[in-house]
Amino acid sequence: MKRYNDLGLLLFRAVFSLLMLTHGFPKLMRFIEGDFVLVGDPIGLGGVVSSILVLAGEVVAPVLILIGLQSRAASVISAFTMAVAAFVVHGHDPIAKKELALLYMFAFITVALMGPGSFSIDKK
């Protein structure tokens, strides 16, 4: 039975991480090309710092979650990024506009709580 749980965790981690990378990878390419302000300044740290934090939450952390390395900590980073997107960036928008960010946020909170499973580098 545990094997199915671990397989389910792997599938859950992989799907949400890969889908998040479809949002983060284009931003990473723009950043590499020299566009250092990819997002606004939603939390008052400056556009460049905010962009680096978004890249951490949408590229670096999902890769770590995908391979199962420091998945819990990486999930917190991605969940926080999505919380800012849902509650700050889209705070006054209707639910349909913030729905995707909320879905990602709760998916990454789930990974943080449940861990990566045995099909991971951490094997916890």
Side-chain angles (χ1 to χ4, degrees):
M1 188 64 137
K2 179 165 175 14
R3 195 101 172 133
Y4 290 119
N5 289 341
D6 290 331
L7 189 58
L9 288 171
L10 171 64
L11 184 62
F12 191 79
R13 291 193 341 254
V15 167
F16 277 98
S17 295
L18 289 169
L19 289 171
M20 178 60 80
L21 285 169
T22 67
H23 297 277
F25 191 73
K27 290 180 181 102
L28 177 63
M29 292 298 99
R30 285 181 32 216
F31 194 82
I32 289 171
E33 291 170 358
D35 184 5
F36 298 118
V37 181
L38 306 169
V39 295
D41 186 18
I43 55 176
L45 298 174
V48 175
V49 173
S50 293
S51 295
I52 291 169
L53 292 174
V54 165
L55 289 173
E58 291 187 7
V59 178
V60 177
V63 168
L64 292 174
I65 296 164
L66 180 64
I67 65 173
L69 180 62
Q70 296 297 314
S71 295
R72 290 180 192 260
S75 294
V76 170
I77 293 167
S78 288
F80 181 78
T81 302
M82 292 297 99
V84 170
F87 299 118
V88 179
V89 176
H90 296 293
H92 296 294
D93 293 338
I95 189 72
K97 190 79 169 166
K98 59 179 101 180
E99 178 181 17
L100 189 58
L102 289 170
L103 182 64
Y104 280 121
M105 181 187 76
F106 282 108
F108 289 123
I109 288 172
T110 301
V111 174
L113 292 173
M114 296 187 71
S118 65
F119 296 114
S120 67
I121 290 176
D122 288 341
K123 292 184 181 165
K124 293 181 183 178

